Amino acid sequence: LFVLNNYFSVGLDAQIALQFHNMRESNPGLFKSRTLNKGIYGIYGMQKLIDTPPCVSDFGLSIGVNGKDIDGEILKKLQCVVWQNIPSYSGGAVLWKTVDPNDNLEMPCAMDDGILELVGLRNIKQLVGIQTSVQSGTKLGQGNIFNIS
């Protein structure tokens, strides 16, 4: 069995998604409207302004991309890391902004290249900035081999 998701994450947005999922499972009658669903999701997100989630490093997580470890100091500044296989995330937001055409080390995000993009999010404010197209994620790397421990 081979399963590939469009994206998956650890941290902030995964916590919000789990809260939403648990509420939907316990109260399925509330979740019949797309607008209401987005509103409930937004409320859970706004709670993260007050209830600050831990940084990725607090989970004891270390990540390597194609044999190169992500600096632990960077992970201390992030509340979420996202592995993505498509250019959009969370309803159309763009985490991996357009690359510099002169940069040979970085490729655009594409779903047919066999490569995943690893992007970090600092906090819920950055996530809101991404949703409104005024910010982008923190580029951590691109690769096809990831070590997560």
Side-chain angles (χ1 to χ4, degrees):
L1 177 68
F2 178 77
V3 176
L4 179 64
N5 294 316
N6 291 333
Y7 55 85
F8 67 96
S9 64
V10 174
L12 171 69
D13 71 329
Q15 289 177 332
I16 295 168
L18 181 60
Q19 280 182 286
F20 180 84
H21 171 74
N22 289 340
M23 178 64 114
R24 183 173 52 194
E25 290 286 311
S26 63
N27 300 294
L30 288 177
F31 296 86
K32 295 184 188 255
S33 159
R34 191 187 310 174
T35 303
L36 182 59
N37 290 355
K38 286 186 177 193
I40 293 170
Y41 217 93
I43 289 168
Y44 287 137
M46 295 304 287
Q47 287 176 341
K48 298 302 176 193
L49 286 170
I50 299 164
D51 175 29
T52 305
C55 292
V56 172
S57 62
D58 294 345
F59 296 114
L61 191 68
S62 63
I63 303 169
V65 181
N66 289 346
K68 182 180 175 192
D69 290 336
I70 302 295
D71 183 355
E73 291 301 312
I74 292 172
L75 295 178
K76 287 180 182 179
K77 298 175 185 175
L78 302 174
Q79 291 180 355
C80 177
V81 289
V82 178
W83 288 260
Q84 66 177 40
N85 188 45
I86 60 173
S88 63
Y89 159 86
S90 184
V94 178
L95 293 179
W96 191 273
K97 289 286 187 184
T98 307
V99 298
D100 179 352
N102 298 320
D103 185 351
N104 295 331
L105 300 176
E106 189 178 286
M107 299 180 298
C109 182
M111 63 182 143
D112 60 353
D113 61 1
I115 294 174
L116 298 178
E117 285 68 34
L118 180 61
V119 183
L121 305 174
R122 290 185 308 275
N123 52 41
I124 192 68
K125 291 181 233 170
Q126 184 183 23
L127 189 54
V128 170
I130 290 167
Q131 289 287 342
T132 57
S133 301
V134 297
Q135 292 187 14
S136 60
T138 303
K139 294 179 182 180
L140 300 175
Q142 292 177 296
N144 55 7
I145 299 172
F146 293 87
N147 298 316
I148 305 167
S149 59

